[in-house]
């Protein structure tokens, strides 16, 4: 909750997760200015964030999505999504704010976000300081603000896996079927469902698979 005049600010523990040192420091200063007596923790990798979350009773986590798993790995949106999913499932009442340039990728976690009981807000890194602070305070109050996402897409995990294997791993349908332990007929069924959700249908002169990739990236289903 946002502290009122009777609340001890020293009781607040806020974790900020961002692998970019300058941006991390900037967020720390922003939070410190708003909550000068709170304990502010930081992490630059998913692994460090796991350790901090397990060791502390946190009131708010501000998390970027493009993160490395460890200091030896490369930052990737999937790592941040994995961290966020872990936090929502492990700490269902934890207040969260996603501060990222890749917020549209959150569409992949909509079922988990819908089920989360704590505050949950989204702040694109292009937002003004005032708007960012407002989203932060909403999250601390246990409020939800996800209207920046296209939340009408209903996408199943296996559809996301098909997209990933096709457009990130470069696999054809036969190899996708083998990897997912499904029949090729089922993979074709998944493609049909994906294209229906994205409103992509056969059209003369158009490459349906290429349009699927374009639309999937536009909606955040792919990076």
């Amino acid at each position: 909750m946002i502290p009122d005049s009777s609340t001890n600010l020293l009781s607040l523990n806020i974790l900020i997760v961002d692998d970019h040192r300058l941006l991390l420091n900037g967020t720390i200063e922003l939070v410190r200015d708003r909550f000068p007596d709170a304990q502010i923790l930081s992490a630059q990798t998913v692994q460090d964030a796991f350790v901090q979350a397990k060791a502390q009773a946190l009131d708010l986590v501000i998390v970027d999505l493009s993160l490395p798993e460890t200091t030896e790995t490369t930052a990737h949106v999937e790592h941040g999504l994995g961290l966020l999913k872990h936090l929502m499932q492990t700490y269902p009442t934890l207040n969260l704010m996603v501060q990222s340039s890749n917020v549209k990728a959150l569409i992949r976690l909509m079922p988990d976000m819908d089920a989360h009981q704590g505050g949950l807000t989204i702040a694109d890194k292009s937002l003004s300081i005032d708007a960012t602070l407002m989203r932060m305070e909403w999250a601390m109050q246990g409020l939800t603000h996800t209207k920046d996402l296209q939340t009408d897409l209903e996408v199943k995990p296996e559809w996301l896996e098909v997209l990933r294997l096709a457009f990130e791993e470069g696999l054809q349908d036969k190899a996708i079927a083998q990897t997912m332990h499904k029949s090729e007929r089922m993979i074709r069924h998944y493609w049909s469902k994906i294209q229906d959700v994205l409103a992509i249908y056969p059209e003369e002169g158009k490459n349906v698979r290429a349009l699927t990739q374009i639309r999937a990236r536009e909606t955040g289903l792919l990076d």
Side-chain angles (χ1 to χ4, degrees):
M1 297 290 291
I2 285 294
D4 57 28
S5 58
S6 63
T7 301
N8 182 4
L9 288 175
L10 290 173
S11 65
L12 286 178
N13 292 320
I14 301 173
L15 172 62
I16 304 169
V17 189
D18 196 316
D19 73 315
H20 195 291
R21 173 54 66 181
L22 288 177
L23 295 177
L24 176 63
N25 288 342
T27 304
I28 289 173
E29 290 304 312
L30 187 65
V31 174
R32 182 174 289 131
D33 183 63
R34 177 63 184 87
F35 304 105
D37 297 311
Q39 180 180 11
I40 302 175
L41 310 165
S42 66
Q44 291 186 268
T45 69
V46 171
Q47 186 180 71
D48 288 344
F50 283 156
V51 172
Q52 295 274 25
K54 188 174 182 179
Q56 303 284 340
L58 298 171
D59 297 283
L60 174 67
V61 178
I62 300 172
V63 59
D64 189 12
L65 291 181
S66 182
L67 295 169
E69 286 276 5
T70 67
T71 54
E72 292 80 24
T73 58
T74 303
H76 196 282
V77 170
E78 286 296 333
H79 299 157
L81 291 174
L83 169 61
L84 187 60
K85 184 171 184 175
H86 170 83
L87 293 174
M88 288 189 288
Q89 293 180 345
T90 308
Y91 311 102
T93 60
L94 177 62
N95 296 322
L96 300 163
M97 183 177 87
V98 179
Q99 184 182 26
S100 176
S101 300
N102 307 98
V103 295
K104 66 181 182 180
L106 289 169
I107 193 70
R108 304 173 215 175
L109 295 184
M110 281 310 301
D112 298 280
M113 293 170 65
D114 288 341
H116 190 62
Q117 300 171 42
L120 178 60
T121 63
I122 299 169
D124 191 284
K125 286 187 174 180
S126 64
L127 285 179
S128 67
I129 290 176
D130 288 343
T132 299
L133 283 171
M134 183 176 294
R135 305 288 171 92
M136 185 191 306
E137 294 184 356
W138 286 346
M140 291 284 284
Q141 293 177 44
L143 301 179
T144 297
H145 186 280
T146 60
K147 73 173 187 176
D148 296 337
L149 296 178
Q150 183 180 345
T151 57
D152 58 338
L153 288 179
E154 295 185 11
V155 182
K156 297 183 181 295
E158 55 266 31
W159 302 354
L160 293 175
E161 183 67 0
V162 168
L163 289 170
R164 186 187 71 80
L165 291 171
F167 299 126
E168 294 183 6
E169 300 294 330
L171 300 186
Q172 295 183 342
D173 285 358
K174 183 176 181 179
I176 293 174
Q178 292 172 343
T179 301
M180 295 181 65
H181 305 290
K182 303 287 185 180
S183 67
E184 288 187 63
R185 180 176 180 177
M186 180 58 71
I187 300 304
R188 289 194 295 271
H189 172 71
Y190 289 159
W191 279 119
S192 177
K193 291 296 186 180
I194 293 166
Q195 288 156 1
D196 184 44
V197 164
L198 296 176
I200 296 171
Y201 305 102
E203 187 176 345
E204 186 176 355
K206 297 291 183 69
N207 184 315
V208 172
R209 192 65 63 92
L211 289 174
T212 301
Q213 181 180 20
I214 293 169
R215 182 59 177 154
R217 294 193 189 283
E218 288 175 346
T219 56
L221 300 181
L222 286 172
D223 297 334

